[in-house]
Amino acid sequence: MNGTTTAEQDADNVIRILVATDNHLGYGEKDAVRGEDSFTAFEEILELAVSEDVDMILLGGDLFHDAVPSQNALHKCIELLRRYTFGDRPVSLEILSDQGQCFHNAVNQSVNYEDPNLNIAIPVFSIHGNHDDPSGFGRLSSLDLLSTSGLVNYFGRWTDLTQVEISPVLMRKGESQLALYGLSHIHDGRLARLIKDFKVKFNCPENVANGEDGNESKEEEDWFHLLVVHQNRADRGPKNYLPEDLLPSFLHLVIWGHEHDCRIEPEENAKKRFYVSQPGSSVPTSLSEGEAKKKHVGLLEIYKGKFKLKPLPLETVRPFVYESVVLADHADELGLVEGDASTKVFKFAQERVEAMIERAVAQHTGHPKQPTLPLIRLRLLYTDESCMFNAIRFGEMLSTRVANVQDVVQFSKVVKRTKTE
Amino acid sequence: MNGTTTAEQDADNVIRILVATDNHLGYGEKDAVRGEDSFTAFEEILELAVSEDVDMILLGGDLFHDAVPSQNALHKCIELLRRYTFGDRPVSLEILSDQGQCFHNAVNQSVNYEDPNLNIAIPVFSIHGNHDDPSGFGRLSSLDLLSTSGLVNYFGRWTDLTQVEISPVLMRKGESQLALYGLSHIHDGRLARLIKDFKVKFNCPENVANGEDGNESKEEEDWFHLLVVHQNRADRGPKNYLPEDLLPSFLHLVIWGHEHDCRIEPEENAKKRFYVSQPGSSVPTSLSEGEAKKKHVGLLEIYKGKFKLKPLPLETVRPFVYESVVLADHADELGLVEGDASTKVFKFAQERVEAMIERAVAQHTGHPKQPTLPLIRLRLLYTDESCMFNAIRFGEMLSTRVANVQDVVQFSKVVKRTKTE
Ligand SMILES: [Mn+2]
Ligand SMILES: [Mn+2]
Ligand SMILES: [Mn+2]
Ligand SMILES: [Mn+2]
């Protein structure tokens, strides 16, 4: 936010948003060791929202891991939201759009903090992801329950999958005006078809989307255009992701949910000139390389047409060290061609894992609620089965030292690609 | 409440309670015809609470039909509670007991209307029944979700099944003081054992339970002692029900949940001198004779040690006519001994059912939300299979005229008991 004076950017004019996504509440809830991890991280996020004194919390979908969350997961979520987001703090965001249209299944057809029967300190806004998709009898999302309870403002919910209209929630705080667009998860293939057929329409507060792409002067606009989506971002084959370039150029910032790797630092889309921030999940739901990246949420500050996004590291996330080793690269060093390769690789893995457990200590944050027993994943890429050993027994040796005893070592066969004409 | 003057019984001193039980929300929710019945009746009950301007709603368990209610059932329940029980109406009941002890899983450890972040007009108090028993991972009842959401005050929840202590919620309104005891459902056999072993203890506000049974002078007491239970009341074999006589005599009134027949008019227990009122369910969950009785909820008024219970008929309950016929009693009349008995019984059943459909019309209340397509159940008790016909096909003939096409006629074999030595 260079070029503006401090006076202009005072607290009355800057919209402050805690941005997070993919909390996957209830993930592994029955695991004796890891069962609380998803809730612990979510609680930290709510604590951050309180300590950063934000105007709202914005979630990018997959709040729950299961389409029908267990009563345990629902209960803990409700308890946390009641504890951290209710209270006397006045909310400074004035809603300018039709609230009856914006929020799905809200009682009284209003944003929760304008409901006269609830005392909301920090409103939560959320789209749904593929994990908290509307499902089952009644086609309800778990977010509908939270919406009706007054705990979450559920927006960006399409109602017609043959043509999707995205009407923003329009908000004002002092001199800043926010148009918040939400697109709850849609199957990527279907979304690609809808876009191709011009069946996805953004209802802008003004006529900003009329011109050709790139013709608008964002600097002069009155609105900050913020979109939250929950789709594949990485190219997973045609029609299997949402190409950034298909999104309209009048947007200023896209918060991208669904992808669990933390890439929260905003990246500019070269063609459309908006920025994309991908906060990533707050709990790893797979022991992959991307999930081992340091987890963050974001503090988004919006002043008129400008924004600043400050990554806030999560300090309660369980240490997780990931390594992938191509055994062929160590064949000579380990002498794999002669003798008992299995035993040699076993010993090699032991040393590696010891070093990884050591490295996990560096991820201790000192936060009293951080679980310190680490997740360790060593992926061994092999070409010859003779390198393999019993991974289950390997893990059992580490039963008191790692959180994922059952799957520390994962063998993956290297598939040699041969050129075809 | 004879013997007291009108002045004493003014609105400031009389505790007014809407009493209902066994709402079984979600019962048959996927049935295209009957799917809304449980919700419709529950909504009527909430409307009655509002129109009767009661101080609280007291539920006797089985609020939900399923231990893990569908998202649809939860959603509709939350929506109704938000709509009817929230608002600006001040609540006149002062809680005198330790609120942290009384209410299970309440955020802020308080009754919902003293939570500074909620605006409650009519508090709901509920125990759990066998249908909304704590279950699954985390041992949570669906009532825990409603408690944490601030929608229901969940009380009478035992935490130790080796010895049950029942501590009342103590409330005052002007000159009247209410000790509200709750005993959430316990397996009848277990409860019988606990009582036999003196492991069920009532923590009275005063030392009223010390003397011998019947020795206390209820007239002079300061407290009205009200108990809500959810157990078998009818004698279904030893250890398979809770005999009324096992309950302490200091009680004034017992609200009995679980039994679905409406026996709401208070009946005095001859031995213990308390009264028992059995409101019955608000939706029939079986097509039995008892469920065909007119459904009611109660308006309970308490003034000091006295009470009055006014039955309020439910007007949105679907008409239901039940008849049970012993075919042997009609053998001569129908000429069953000669010729085609099956056809004769079929014709007889047709005439009976026609008459029953006629009689169902008398149950139309004129309430705009009452579904009028009736439930019809004709039970035919036979001794000889030759009397039977295809009950499925019989129902199909009535497809547009009854709500339970699939099971209008039920055949039951009369088992002849022969004397044994
Ligand atoms: Mn996710
Ligand atoms: Mn997702
Ligand atoms: Mn019941
Ligand atoms: Mn029951």
Side-chain angles (χ1 to χ4, degrees):
Chain A
M1 282 200 232
N2 302 320
T4 53
T5 68
T6 316
E8 282 178 316
Q9 295 179 24
D10 67 16
D12 293 344
N13 296 308
V14 176
I15 299 175
R16 291 163 58 81
I17 304 177
L18 201 291
V19 176
T21 187
D22 294 81
N23 311 107
H24 284 264
L25 295 177
Y27 174 75
E29 64 186 332
K30 294 183 183 171
D31 186 302
V33 177
R34 298 159 71 186
E36 291 299 308
D37 289 9
S38 65
F39 305 106
T40 304
F42 189 58
E43 181 166 9
E44 184 186 1
I45 292 167
L46 296 174
E47 282 170 340
L48 282 169
V50 171
S51 63
E52 293 288 350
D53 194 33
V54 296
D55 296 307
M56 62 181 270
I57 296 167
L58 180 59
L59 301 178
D62 287 2
L63 173 58
F64 290 102
H65 187 67
D66 297 304
V68 180
S70 73
Q71 303 214 134
N72 176 60
L74 262 178
H75 181 260
K76 284 185 171 147
C77 175
I78 292 170
E79 200 273 329
L80 290 170
L81 290 172
R82 284 284 314 272
R83 190 136 51 91
Y84 288 99
T85 72
F86 280 54
D88 282 332
R89 179 188 178 284
V91 179
S92 315
L93 296 171
E94 183 190 353
I95 306 273
L96 304 175
S97 46
D98 179 355
Q99 299 186 29
Q101 298 290 312
C102 293
F103 305 115
H104 200 253
N105 264 319
V107 170
N108 301 328
Q109 308 282 309
S110 80
V111 73
N112 66 345
Y113 59 90
E114 291 194 5
D115 188 312
N117 296 325
L118 301 175
N119 207 21
I120 304 292
I122 306 180
V124 178
F125 290 79
S126 186
I127 62 170
H128 73 247
N130 54 317
H131 278 263
D132 36 27
D133 227 24
S135 64
F137 179 69
R139 300 295 296 165
L140 289 164
S141 164
S142 44
L143 292 182
D144 283 306
L145 296 181
L146 299 183
S147 171
T148 309
S149 309
L151 297 161
V152 163
N153 300 295
Y154 177 20
F155 77 111
R157 166 78 144 93
W158 32 261
T159 44
D160 179 357
L161 274 179
T162 63
Q163 47 180 37
V164 174
E165 273 192 58
I166 306 176
S167 296
V169 183
L170 303 179
M171 302 187 219
R172 177 165 55 208
K173 182 182 174 188
E175 296 171 1
S176 296
Q177 294 197 119
L178 171 63
L180 175 61
Y181 304 80
L183 178 57
S184 284
H185 175 79
I186 298 180
H187 182 273
D188 284 296
R190 182 188 284 268
L191 183 58
R193 272 198 309 280
L194 286 167
I195 293 178
K196 186 174 147 283
D197 298 344
F198 304 100
K199 291 286 179 58
V200 177
K201 188 181 160 201
F202 286 80
N203 291 323
C204 298
E206 285 153 40
N207 226 359
V208 294
N210 271 353
E212 304 274 291
D213 274 347
N215 275 5
E216 311 88 25
S217 163
K218 288 177 185 173
E219 303 297 323
E220 290 169 333
E221 279 172 34
D222 283 318
W223 293 94
F224 186 88
H225 298 280
L226 174 61
L227 170 66
V228 190
V229 297
H230 189 100
Q231 302 290 149
N232 281 332
R233 183 183 178 200
D235 185 348
R236 298 193 171 91
K239 296 200 182 164
N240 211 356
Y241 75 115
L242 171 60
E244 285 180 25
D245 288 355
L246 292 185
L247 293 172
S249 61
F250 67 83
L251 294 170
H252 293 87
L253 177 64
V254 179
I255 300 292
W256 209 292
H258 185 62
E259 300 282 358
H260 282 205
D261 310 13
C262 177
R263 277 169 65 188
I264 196 165
E265 283 289 0
E267 300 164 16
E268 189 173 14
N269 180 288
K271 189 168 164 211
K272 297 297 184 86
R273 308 296 299 277
F274 50 67
Y275 286 82
V276 178
S277 167
Q278 177 181 307
S281 69
S282 54
V283 62
T285 61
S286 68
L287 299 183
S288 63
E289 185 161 20
E291 292 264 33
K293 287 185 189 162
K294 175 75 186 167
K295 302 279 186 199
H296 294 79
V297 294
L299 176 62
L300 172 62
E301 294 187 304
I302 295 167
Y303 174 70
K304 293 187 173 175
K306 303 191 174 72
F307 76 95
K308 205 162 65 179
L309 198 151
K310 181 183 169 192
L312 304 175
L314 291 176
E315 301 193 332
T316 63
V317 175
R318 184 182 294 278
F320 174 20
V321 177
Y322 177 94
E323 248 186 55
S324 182
V325 174
V326 179
L327 288 174
D329 298 346
H330 299 260
D332 291 349
E333 167 199 337
L334 298 178
L336 295 185
V337 286
E338 52 194 347
D340 182 358
S342 173
T343 304
K344 289 171 182 171
V345 173
F346 186 93
K347 197 157 165 290
F348 169 77
Q350 265 190 314
E351 286 162 11
R352 280 285 175 142
V353 164
E354 285 301 326
M356 290 165 79
I357 292 176
E358 271 305 306
R359 274 160 55 208
V361 176
Q363 293 181 29
H364 292 195
T365 60
H367 193 294
K369 288 188 184 159
Q370 186 193 31
T372 52
L373 201 66
L375 295 165
I376 300 290
R377 164 57 59 87
L378 177 62
R379 185 166 174 244
L380 296 177
L381 291 133
Y382 66 95
T383 37
D384 191 318
E385 267 90 20
S386 68
C387 293
M388 295 178 75
F389 54 80
N390 186 327
I392 302 290
R393 205 167 300 157
F394 183 93
E396 281 165 2
M397 293 170 14
L398 300 163
S399 63
T400 60
R401 303 180 60 216
V402 303
N404 58 315
V405 174
Q406 66 293 342
D407 56 6
V408 175
V409 164
Q410 182 195 41
F411 284 100
S412 290
K413 179 128 190 166
V414 178
V415 181
K416 283 192 188 139
R417 291 210 175 75
T418 50
K419 280 189 189 155
T420 52
E421 313 294 298
Chain B
M1 280 199 235
N2 301 321
T4 53
T5 68
T6 316
E8 282 178 315
Q9 295 179 26
D10 67 17
D12 294 344
N13 296 308
V14 176
I15 300 175
R16 291 164 58 81
I17 304 176
L18 201 291
V19 177
T21 188
D22 293 81
N23 311 107
H24 283 264
L25 296 177
Y27 174 74
E29 62 186 333
K30 294 182 183 171
D31 186 303
V33 176
R34 298 160 68 185
E36 292 299 308
D37 289 10
S38 66
F39 305 107
T40 303
F42 189 57
E43 181 166 11
E44 184 186 0
I45 292 167
L46 296 174
E47 283 170 340
L48 282 169
V50 171
S51 64
E52 292 289 351
D53 193 33
V54 297
D55 296 306
M56 62 181 270
I57 296 168
L58 180 59
L59 301 179
D62 287 2
L63 173 57
F64 291 102
H65 187 67
D66 297 305
V68 180
S70 73
Q71 302 214 136
N72 177 60
L74 263 178
H75 181 262
K76 284 186 170 147
C77 175
I78 292 170
E79 200 272 329
L80 290 170
L81 290 172
R82 283 285 312 276
R83 190 138 51 91
Y84 289 99
T85 72
F86 280 55
D88 283 331
R89 181 187 176 285
V91 179
S92 315
L93 296 171
E94 182 190 356
I95 306 272
L96 304 174
S97 47
D98 179 354
Q99 298 186 29
Q101 299 290 311
C102 293
F103 305 114
H104 201 253
N105 264 318
V107 170
N108 302 328
Q109 308 281 308
S110 80
V111 74
N112 65 345
Y113 60 89
E114 290 193 5
D115 188 312
N117 296 324
L118 301 176
N119 207 21
I120 304 293
I122 305 179
V124 178
F125 291 79
S126 187
I127 62 171
H128 74 246
N130 54 316
H131 279 261
D132 36 26
D133 226 25
S135 65
F137 179 68
R139 301 293 298 164
L140 289 164
S141 164
S142 44
L143 292 181
D144 283 305
L145 296 182
L146 299 184
S147 171
T148 310
S149 310
L151 297 161
V152 163
N153 300 294
Y154 177 20
F155 77 111
R157 166 80 144 93
W158 33 260
T159 44
D160 178 357
L161 273 180
T162 65
Q163 46 180 39
V164 174
E165 274 192 55
I166 306 176
S167 296
V169 183
L170 303 179
M171 302 185 218
R172 176 164 55 209
K173 182 182 175 189
E175 296 170 1
S176 296
Q177 294 196 117
L178 172 63
L180 176 61
Y181 304 79
L183 178 56
S184 284
H185 175 80
I186 298 179
H187 182 273
D188 283 296
R190 182 188 286 269
L191 183 58
R193 271 198 309 279
L194 286 167
I195 293 177
K196 186 174 147 282
D197 297 344
F198 303 100
K199 292 286 179 57
V200 177
K201 188 181 161 202
F202 285 79
N203 291 322
C204 299
E206 286 153 37
N207 226 0
V208 294
N210 272 353
E212 303 273 291
D213 274 346
N215 275 5
E216 310 88 25
S217 165
K218 288 176 186 173
E219 302 298 323
E220 290 169 332
E221 280 172 31
D222 283 318
W223 294 93
F224 186 89
H225 299 280
L226 175 60
L227 170 66
V228 190
V229 297
H230 189 101
Q231 303 290 149
N232 280 333
R233 183 182 178 201
D235 185 347
R236 298 193 171 91
K239 294 199 184 167
N240 211 356
Y241 74 113
L242 171 60
E244 285 180 23
D245 287 356
L246 292 185
L247 294 173
S249 60
F250 67 83
L251 294 170
H252 293 87
L253 177 63
V254 179
I255 301 292
W256 209 293
H258 185 62
E259 300 281 359
H260 282 204
D261 309 13
C262 178
R263 277 170 64 188
I264 197 165
E265 284 289 2
E267 299 164 17
E268 188 173 14
N269 180 289
K271 191 168 164 208
K272 297 297 183 88
R273 309 294 299 276
F274 51 66
Y275 286 82
V276 178
S277 167
Q278 177 180 307
S281 69
S282 53
V283 62
T285 61
S286 68
L287 299 182
S288 63
E289 185 162 19
E291 293 264 32
K293 286 185 191 162
K294 175 75 186 165
K295 303 278 186 200
H296 294 78
V297 294
L299 176 63
L300 173 62
E301 294 187 302
I302 295 167
Y303 174 71
K304 294 187 172 175
K306 302 193 174 69
F307 77 95
K308 205 163 64 179
L309 198 152
K310 181 183 168 193
L312 304 176
L314 291 176
E315 301 193 332
T316 63
V317 174
R318 185 182 293 280
F320 174 21
V321 176
Y322 177 95
E323 248 186 56
S324 183
V325 174
V326 180
L327 287 175
D329 297 347
H330 298 260
D332 292 349
E333 165 198 340
L334 299 177
L336 295 184
V337 284
E338 52 195 345
D340 182 358
S342 173
T343 304
K344 289 171 180 169
V345 174
F346 187 94
K347 196 156 165 292
F348 169 76
Q350 265 189 313
E351 286 162 14
R352 280 284 174 145
V353 165
E354 285 302 326
M356 290 164 80
I357 293 175
E358 271 306 305
R359 272 161 55 209
V361 176
Q363 294 181 31
H364 291 195
T365 61
H367 193 294
K369 288 188 182 158
Q370 186 193 30
T372 51
L373 201 66
L375 295 165
I376 300 290
R377 165 56 60 88
L378 177 61
R379 186 166 172 244
L380 296 176
L381 290 133
Y382 67 95
T383 36
D384 191 319
E385 267 91 18
S386 69
C387 292
M388 296 177 78
F389 54 81
N390 186 328
I392 302 289
R393 207 167 300 157
F394 183 92
E396 281 163 3
M397 294 170 12
L398 301 162
S399 63
T400 59
R401 303 179 60 214
V402 304
N404 59 314
V405 174
Q406 67 291 343
D407 55 7
V408 174
V409 164
Q410 183 196 41
F411 284 100
S412 291
K413 179 126 187 168
V414 178
V415 181
K416 284 195 188 135
R417 291 206 177 77
T418 50
K419 280 188 189 158
T420 52
E421 312 295 300

